[in-house]
Amino acid sequence: MPKPLTDQDKRKQISVRGLAGVENVSDLKTNFNRHLHFTLVKDRNVATKRDYYFALANTVRDHLVGRWIRTQQHYYEKDPKRVYYLSLEFYMGRTLQNTMVNLALENACDEATYQVRDGSALGHSWTLTSFSGLFKLMKLYNHDNRQVEEADDWLRYGNPWEKARPEYMRPVHFYGRVEHTPEGVKWVDTQVVLALPYDTPVPGYRNNVVNTMRLWSAKAPCDFNLKDFNVGGYIQAVLDRNLAENISRVLYPNDNFFEGKELRLKQEYFVVAATLQDIVRRFKSSKFGSTEVVRVDLSTLPDKVAIQLNDTHPAMAIPELMRILLDTEHQKWEKAWDICTRTCAYTNHTVLPEALERWPTDLLQNLLPRHLEIIYEINRRHLERIAKLYPGDHDRLRRMSLVEEGDQKKINMAHLCIVGSHAVNGVARIHSDILKATLFKDFYEVDPHKFQNKTNGITPRRWLVMCNPGLAEVIAERIGEDYIRDLDQLKKLLAFVDDDSLIHDIAKVKQENKLKFSAYLEEHYKVKINPNSMFDVQVKRIHEYKRQLLNCLHIITLYNRIQKEPNKNWTPRTIMIGGKAAPGYHTAKLIIRLITAIGEIVNHDTVVGDRLKVIFLENYKVTLAEKIIPASDLSEQISTAGTEASGTGNMKFMLNGALTIGTMDGANVEMAEEAGEENLFIFGMRVDDVDAMDKSGYDAMDYYNRIPELKQAMDQIAGGFFSPDQHDLFKDIVNMLLHHDRFKVFADYEAYIKCQEKVSALYKNPKEWTKMVIHNIAGCGKFSSDRTISQYAREIWGMEPSLERIPAPDDPLSGANK
């Protein structure tokens, strides 16, 4: 019997087919050993798996460097418009395997590492979790049914993918005061922190393009003055240095709750101030036309630069750009404002009021006094315009002001972004419509041309080829490999929806993935599950609006039904919930305790047995997502209609052959359109129903008293059935659900339970279930990030996406010489 194909074998089939020139295995082995010996200073007698990972990572990185340099040379020669995507955090996932896939190196690396280790193919087990972000992350795990946070020192052993660029270090100023003189405005007596850039290469898929993610680290501006050294001064100098570098030492996990902390504002301004200095430097030093001419005037900046603000976190880019244009470049206000608004665009990611940033003016006055002056002037001119358009409408002026009056005067950063940008977009059609109809209604009425929609997308390279190579190969066998670059081609699968061989192959791949994940759970969670059960999965941030509590109520209801009728032919389920709560979010943390407490009871009930298991997935992150998503049968997307901006997890599950149970919220709406609503399990209130209930009033007690199974489940939570050692442990959840639940869990309970019954019934018919899966995979074309970015480019940034393939360097080092 032939040996079963591994994931690496399946990816190899895809990566080799149709591609000319596999990289030389001998050269890879030579470079691997060179890095092991000369970069890491190790031999195989003392090298660890981490050393082997770093040797392989540096070997693969060598193949990036030439392409990276050539890409930058190409941009310099062509002088195209450049896009700067400003975000406070990036969830990158693992870099090594993604890079090998994109450079078509994976098969050669597999063979080289196999040979280097004398046939012991360590392969990708060397791949550590290689996150990239501006700030250190938090590692979260579960202890005694609680979420506990601990620092994750992810740079302890270094990062082979990043390159420090100290030659481009930039000063960032804080505090001080503003002087208005006949010569101009000066921001003086400031405290300076240096921003040190670190560059990470981001390779395109087999097009030799390698773009750059630039991250900034805070450094103290000067060393100690040893001439004036004394003990007290030394200690204070150390403290001051630590204070300066704290800016990039820890990230405040915002998580849909805004807290106006000075360090967070420092972080936000630090990023944009460093980046804008970098943008101006690059703009002025770019090749201009056929000659190298330094641009001395920023008037053409919007022709060569697009700045995309990812939510309001980088909103200070607007007053900072104005400060540069006014105080450094000495532009007149009108010209500066025209440059600023034509350069900047704003993406909104939430409709929840508590998530919108509002910075106190006294904090801004102390930390960034010049910027507050500029914001006040922006607001004065903005309100003058509104007053002319709507004379006498003082309430509208109040609603649209950038400055919110009250007990504490605050700056509404979303309003600043809208006024200071030429385009504003949501990230799913329903989300963008809600912004225009409610949250930003006044602004939409004034400037309807600004408002757009850009539905989110995912990359099929990571979220199919890399994480689910078996499914990627099954698809390629039917429709070829071009779908990897053009996801719309998945529609061709509709011609095979009744093909028994495709139905068989897709079901087989799913079962293989479930077996693998079952083994992973047994190894890492010490839980043995039934791989033939339905894998019912909800993985996302823990938040009330995501409604993990609705899932909990279904689990309890199902548990009670099995207890009541143990001999019934129940569809076995393994329900897995994963995610992290913001460290200060009490209710979210309590929800985690409830999930784990329910699991403790259910999983040890001998009557229930393998028919129902409940698992909380600790420390959920991209790496775990790459394992659980390909193994999932059912994707839970059950937020209250009108609260989820878009979601991308829903798209990842859909692409990997999971069916969706969900509300008409976020991108679910468009998923139902693409796959056919009959091929999703849609339930519950629509946005209009939620709005009507908001007006008429939501009475949770009415549902509680009217629905016996709901009452039973709530009484069990309240009475300590799931917390026998502390009966009132979940009293805050019970009180919230019964008396002040903004997200109306009970209102959708009956519809959700009935929809879950349909799910269970269909799962008993594997052929019909898999046909529905094929419809979903075929409908995923719209949800490619390639489509999303192309739309941003054409419709916001004023650029045509380049299809030009940059010539590859002759060898990994040749790009530097050409």
Side-chain angles (χ1 to χ4, degrees):
M1 179 180 291
K3 187 179 75 171
L5 292 177
T6 65
D7 280 356
Q8 293 175 33
D9 294 331
K10 292 168 186 173
R11 276 190 296 267
K12 192 180 297 184
Q13 287 179 350
I14 298 171
S15 62
V16 172
R17 184 184 294 133
L19 290 173
V22 177
E23 296 290 344
N24 189 289
V25 173
S26 176
D27 287 346
L28 284 169
K29 288 165 58 182
T30 300
N31 289 333
F32 178 91
N33 284 317
R34 176 171 58 84
H35 279 297
L36 186 65
H37 296 157
F38 298 111
T39 303
L40 300 169
V41 197
K42 293 284 186 78
D43 65 19
R44 282 191 243 172
N45 294 317
V46 295
T48 65
K49 283 190 177 183
R50 178 175 283 107
D51 295 323
Y52 288 130
Y53 161 75
F54 274 96
L56 180 58
N58 278 289
T59 300
V60 172
R61 184 174 176 270
D62 287 347
H63 288 262
L64 272 179
V65 169
R67 293 169 170 85
W68 199 6
I69 293 172
R70 288 288 284 271
T71 300
Q72 299 310 311
Q73 291 172 340
H74 178 80
Y75 292 160
Y76 182 79
E77 289 296 323
K78 299 294 185 181
D79 193 25
K81 188 172 185 177
R82 299 184 187 228
V83 178
Y84 298 87
Y85 192 90
L86 271 59
S87 180
L88 263 287
E89 53 199 23
F90 294 94
Y91 297 119
M92 292 290 292
R94 295 177 295 180
T95 303
L96 175 59
Q97 192 173 335
N98 185 64
T99 302
M100 291 193 295
V101 167
N102 282 3
L103 296 187
L105 278 174
E106 190 172 30
N107 51 339
C109 285
D110 287 343
E111 181 61 28
T113 54
Y114 184 88
Q115 293 180 17
V116 165
R117 292 296 294 163
D118 301 320
S120 302
L122 294 178
H124 305 311
S125 63
W126 305 353
T127 305
L128 306 179
T129 304
S130 183
F131 285 96
S132 296
L134 177 59
F135 306 102
K136 290 187 179 178
L137 306 172
M138 302 298 290
K139 178 183 177 185
L140 295 91
Y141 61 93
N142 192 56
H143 174 69
D144 191 26
N145 288 353
R146 298 172 187 263
Q147 173 181 285
V148 180
E149 298 87 21
E150 67 176 26
D152 183 14
D153 191 4
W154 59 283
L155 290 174
R156 179 186 305 165
Y157 299 101
N159 179 359
W161 303 104
E162 68 182 13
K163 175 69 175 73
R165 303 286 194 187
E167 67 273 24
Y168 297 130
M169 192 146 52
R170 292 289 175 261
V172 177
H173 297 260
F174 296 99
Y175 306 108
R177 57 188 175 83
V178 181
E179 287 184 351
H180 292 265
T181 69
E183 292 76 30
V185 181
K186 296 180 180 179
W187 184 16
V188 298
D189 299 334
T190 58
Q191 292 184 15
V192 177
V193 177
L194 298 179
L196 173 62
Y198 287 83
D199 287 353
T200 298
V202 182
Y205 183 70
R206 301 178 188 180
N207 58 4
N208 297 321
V209 175
V210 181
N211 284 319
T212 303
M213 179 176 67
R214 174 158 286 185
L215 312 175
W216 298 94
S217 181
K219 300 295 177 185
C222 59
D223 295 325
F224 308 131
N225 188 339
L226 296 180
K227 186 171 67 175
D228 299 328
F229 173 80
N230 61 70
V231 173
Y234 174 79
I235 292 173
Q236 188 58 49
V238 172
L239 293 175
D240 290 346
R241 188 180 192 91
N242 286 340
L243 196 62
E245 296 183 359
N246 277 346
I247 291 174
S248 59
R249 189 163 280 139
V250 66
L251 171 67
Y252 275 110
N254 181 282
D255 193 61
N256 281 15
F257 278 102
F258 172 68
E259 293 182 275
K261 297 184 184 296
E262 180 176 297
L263 179 55
R264 178 68 173 183
L265 180 57
K266 274 188 173 180
Q267 291 171 344
E268 294 182 357
Y269 177 68
F270 176 80
V271 172
V272 302
T275 301
L276 279 166
Q277 289 182 68
D278 204 41
I279 289 171
V280 171
R281 174 196 62 79
R282 189 173 292 107
F283 173 80
K284 286 188 173 182
S285 62
S286 292
K287 185 174 182 178
F288 185 57
S290 59
T291 59
E292 297 182 24
V293 177
V294 174
R295 295 184 177 105
V296 295
D297 183 357
L298 296 189
S299 59
T300 60
L301 187 73
D303 299 329
K304 292 297 180 181
V305 170
I307 296 175
Q308 191 68 35
L309 307 177
N310 186 43
D311 223 334
T312 57
H313 308 140
M316 291 304 296
I318 293 170
E320 172 65 7
L321 180 54
M322 286 297 290
R323 185 191 67 80
I324 292 170
L325 292 167
L326 294 168
D327 301 351
T328 305
E329 301 296 324
H330 306 294
Q331 297 276 0
K332 297 294 184 183
W333 180 279
E334 292 74 11
K335 182 64 175 177
W337 186 242
D338 176 68
I339 293 171
C340 179
T341 54
R342 289 197 295 127
T343 301
C344 295
Y346 162 52
T347 298
N348 173 274
H349 284 280
T350 182
V351 297
L352 300 181
E354 64 268 28
L356 297 176
E357 290 187 306
R358 294 172 167 87
W359 287 108
T361 54
D362 55 359
L363 177 58
L364 282 164
Q365 179 64 52
N366 181 48
L367 190 67
L368 301 167
R370 176 57 177 149
H371 298 76
L372 183 61
E373 286 186 351
I374 291 171
I375 291 170
Y376 280 151
E377 180 62 16
I378 292 171
N379 193 49
R380 184 187 70 79
R381 291 169 180 258
H382 162 62
L383 292 182
E384 275 187 1
R385 178 186 176 223
I386 302 303
K388 290 178 181 177
L389 292 172
Y390 301 92
D393 193 343
H394 299 293
D395 193 51
R396 181 180 290 268
L397 291 175
R398 177 191 59 78
R399 296 195 308 268
M400 296 186 71
S401 176
L402 276 56
V403 182
E404 295 183 349
E405 306 290 345
D407 294 338
Q408 187 181 38
K409 189 183 291 187
K410 297 179 180 180
I411 304 300
N412 186 311
M413 303 306 283
H415 289 186
L416 174 63
C417 286
I418 296 169
V419 173
S421 297
H422 69 274
V424 178
N425 71 279
V427 289
R429 192 179 65 241
I430 189 174
H431 170 229
S432 299
D433 290 343
I434 289 170
L435 293 179
K436 292 186 290 187
T438 58
L439 197 64
F440 302 145
K441 180 175 184 289
D442 292 325
F443 293 91
Y444 175 65
E445 290 174 352
V446 172
D447 293 308
H449 63 278
K450 280 190 178 185
F451 288 79
Q452 303 185 21
N453 173 61
K454 297 290 171 281
T455 298
N456 278 340
I458 59 172
T459 168
R461 274 73 68 180
R462 178 180 292 276
W463 293 110
L464 183 59
V465 175
M466 197 178 97
C467 75
N468 200 346
L471 180 58
E473 176 64 16
V474 166
I475 294 171
E477 286 172 353
R478 269 70 181 189
I479 65 172
E481 296 172 17
D482 289 346
Y483 76 90
I484 299 171
R485 286 190 176 90
D486 179 10
L487 208 61
D488 279 329
Q489 293 197 27
L490 288 177
K491 291 176 183 174
K492 294 178 181 178
L493 288 174
L494 292 175
F496 301 91
V497 75
D498 295 313
D499 185 313
D500 286 340
S501 67
L502 178 61
I503 293 169
H504 170 270
D505 288 350
I506 285 182
K508 182 173 180 284
V509 166
K510 179 63 69 174
Q511 191 59 30
E512 289 172 352
N513 291 335
K514 291 172 71 174
L515 286 166
K516 278 196 308 183
F517 192 71
S518 298
Y520 174 85
L521 281 182
E522 189 167 358
E523 179 183 354
H524 294 276
Y525 288 79
K526 311 305 177 189
V527 175
K528 192 165 186 176
I529 62 172
N530 176 10
N532 295 314
S533 64
M534 180 199 306
F535 282 14
D536 177 348
V537 181
Q538 185 180 21
V539 284
K540 51 186 76 245
R541 288 179 296 109
I542 309 297
H543 198 288
E544 290 164 76
Y545 89 86
K546 305 276 190 184
R547 297 205 298 191
Q548 284 90 357
L549 288 172
L550 183 57
N551 198 342
C552 287
L553 290 173
H554 171 247
I555 295 170
I556 297 170
T557 301
L558 190 55
Y559 170 77
N560 289 334
R561 288 181 176 184
I562 295 173
Q563 285 280 345
K564 186 177 179 180
E565 299 182 85
N567 297 320
K568 187 175 177 180
N569 182 23
W570 298 99
T571 300
R573 287 195 191 220
T574 299
I575 300 177
M576 291 173 266
I577 304 176
K580 296 174 183 176
Y585 190 177
H586 168 73
T587 301
K589 286 192 165 184
L590 201 55
I591 290 170
I592 291 175
R593 296 192 71 181
L594 177 61
I595 295 165
T596 54
I598 292 170
E600 283 293 313
I601 298 298
V602 171
N603 297 344
H604 293 94
D605 192 302
T606 55
V607 174
V608 172
D610 283 345
R611 290 176 291 188
L612 181 62
K613 293 290 183 185
V614 180
I615 297 168
F616 182 76
L617 299 170
E618 304 166 3
N619 200 24
Y620 181 68
K621 53 189 175 183
V622 174
T623 306
L624 184 55
E626 291 168 359
K627 293 179 173 66
I628 182 61
I629 289 174
S632 300
D633 294 304
L634 187 68
S635 163
E636 300 268 355
Q637 308 296 333
I638 57 178
S639 53
T640 311
T643 61
E644 183 70 82
S646 170
T648 56
N650 46 6
M651 304 169 189
K652 295 164 190 171
F653 280 103
M654 183 183 186
L655 182 59
N656 281 274
L659 298 184
T660 300
I661 182 168
T663 53
M664 278 298 201
D665 195 26
N668 294 356
V669 177
E670 291 159 81
M671 288 164 54
E673 291 175 354
E674 296 299 310
E677 190 172 331
E678 69 279 6
N679 292 308
L680 281 74
F681 298 101
I682 299 296
F683 73 93
M685 297 182 292
R686 309 294 170 107
V687 170
D688 291 344
D689 300 321
V690 175
D691 291 343
M693 186 172 285
D694 284 334
K695 293 172 183 174
S696 63
Y698 166 62
D699 183 2
M701 290 302 297
D702 175 61
Y703 296 94
Y704 170 79
N705 290 320
R706 183 168 53 80
I707 306 171
E709 286 187 310
L710 174 60
K711 185 178 189 301
Q712 180 186 7
M714 288 301 298
D715 289 348
Q716 287 172 306
I717 297 171
F721 182 83
F722 298 105
S723 53
D725 296 331
Q726 187 180 344
H727 284 199
D728 65 346
L729 176 61
F730 301 115
K731 65 179 186 300
D732 289 346
I733 285 179
V734 172
N735 183 54
M736 182 272 292
L737 286 173
L738 290 174
H739 302 297
H740 49 89
D741 176 17
R742 295 163 50 208
F743 302 107
K744 304 173 180 61
V745 169
F746 292 179
D748 276 341
Y749 170 82
E750 282 184 299
Y752 181 53
I753 298 298
K754 289 177 182 176
C755 196
Q756 288 283 17
E757 292 169 359
K758 294 178 183 177
V759 172
S760 293
L762 186 65
Y763 193 75
K764 292 178 179 177
N765 187 338
K767 183 173 182 178
E768 291 304 313
W769 178 279
T770 306
K771 287 170 71 173
M772 192 180 287
V773 165
I774 295 170
H775 277 283
N776 273 265
I777 296 171
C780 282
K782 178 178 182 177
F783 305 110
S784 170
S785 55
D786 301 338
R787 185 269 314 156
T788 306
I789 297 305
S790 293
Q791 289 183 338
Y792 272 100
R794 292 187 177 102
E795 298 165 21
I796 292 181
W797 304 329
M799 308 163 65
E800 189 61 29
S802 174
L803 299 178
E804 183 177 1
R805 180 186 174 93
I806 295 176
D810 297 330
D811 61 71
L813 302 179
S814 66
N817 302 316
K818 294 188 176 182

